[in-house]
Amino acid sequence: MADEITINSALNDKFFMEDIAKRKLFLNYDIDEQVFNSVGYWILRWNEEDKDIPVEKRKPIKLYVMSDGGDVIAGLSLIDIMLASETPIVTVNFGQWYSMGFYIGICGTRRYGSRMSTYCAHDGELGISQSTNKAKDFMNFYEELQGRMQKIICDRTTISAEELEKNSRKEWYMFADEACRRGIIDGIIGEDIDIAEVL
């Protein structure tokens, strides 16, 4: 059993290094502070490596996102890095972009999803256990945060502020065809783009 674990660990390390050499990153977990080490760090590093290369000649970064969401502040730190990246980032959905995973997914330079990929935009979860005044302060901050999150959607898709407001009180789920119509993704893998182009 110990030998099997050692072999699996060695294989995982080998595949990880092969993927890094190809600039492939995987975000397939609930988003927390780990997202900086596993994704943000590499985007920054590759931008540093590329600093003397014209943008159009840079090797793109491929970020495969399959996440139910997670910590908003940790997610926003990654989004800031992605939007600042001059090296193109292709985000790919073979599963689900939900909640903060949705926001990260739409911040790719180019974005693609498989036929049965799913998407969910919502207003997040909130829990407050504070004094009345501290709760008010937090709610004021949260309202500002929500406004900024909504702006990301409006800036990165064809969804209007009015349409977003209309759907803001529900869990807004959709499949790839609707996501494509709304500018969430640029195309559907196997229909608009060959799978080889996202591998």
Side-chain angles (χ1 to χ4, degrees):
M1 182 61 136
D3 288 343
E4 186 178 327
I5 291 170
T6 302
I7 291 168
N8 286 338
S9 179
L11 281 174
N12 286 339
D13 290 346
K14 177 181 181 292
F15 293 145
F16 174 76
M17 292 313 298
E18 287 177 359
D19 287 332
I20 289 298
K22 296 174 185 175
R23 294 193 171 186
K24 292 182 179 182
L25 299 170
F26 297 84
L27 202 174
N28 56 352
Y29 51 84
D30 288 344
I31 295 153
D32 57 19
E33 292 81 2
Q34 173 190 341
V35 80
F36 177 82
N37 292 331
S38 61
V39 180
Y41 164 82
W42 292 102
I43 295 172
L44 292 172
R45 179 168 175 165
W46 289 323
N47 271 270
E48 184 179 20
E49 286 180 11
D50 293 349
K51 65 182 187 321
D52 297 321
I53 302 172
V55 171
E56 65 277 5
K57 293 186 177 179
R58 295 184 183 192
K59 181 179 181 178
I61 299 162
K62 290 176 181 167
L63 175 58
Y64 302 89
V65 180
M66 187 167 67
S67 176
D68 290 327
D71 185 88
V72 174
I73 303 303
L76 285 174
S77 72
L78 176 58
I79 284 172
D80 277 344
I81 292 170
M82 292 174 69
L83 295 180
S85 176
E86 293 185 21
T87 298
I89 301 171
V90 179
T91 50
V92 182
N93 183 359
F94 281 114
Q96 74 273 11
W97 289 357
Y98 293 171
S99 193
M100 183 47 68
F102 175 88
Y103 287 94
I104 290 169
I106 65 174
C107 288
T109 313
R110 297 191 309 277
R111 311 177 295 263
Y112 301 103
S114 60
R115 287 184 179 96
M116 296 302 288
S117 59
T118 56
Y119 306 78
C120 179
H122 67 172
D123 61 356
E125 292 182 18
L126 178 63
I128 301 176
S129 178
Q130 297 282 352
S131 68
T132 303
N133 287 330
K134 288 178 182 174
K136 287 178 183 176
D137 291 339
F138 183 79
M139 285 305 299
N140 289 336
F141 169 75
Y142 192 78
E143 284 182 17
E144 172 69 19
L145 181 63
Q146 280 297 105
R148 291 176 185 232
M149 301 295 285
Q150 289 175 352
K151 186 175 187 313
I152 292 171
I153 293 177
C154 294
D155 288 348
R156 306 291 302 173
T157 72
T158 58
I159 298 171
S160 67
E162 294 75 22
E163 191 173 19
L164 196 55
E165 180 62 29
K166 178 182 170 185
N167 288 281
S168 66
R169 294 192 176 273
K170 70 177 187 179
E171 301 282 285
W172 192 1
Y173 287 97
M174 58 193 89
F175 285 101
D177 51 351
E178 182 178 356
C180 204
R181 287 197 309 271
R182 296 185 180 279
I184 293 162
I185 55 174
D186 297 311
I188 298 173
I189 300 161
E191 294 180 11
D192 305 307
I193 184 172
D194 292 336
I195 192 169
E197 295 185 57
V198 299
L199 296 179

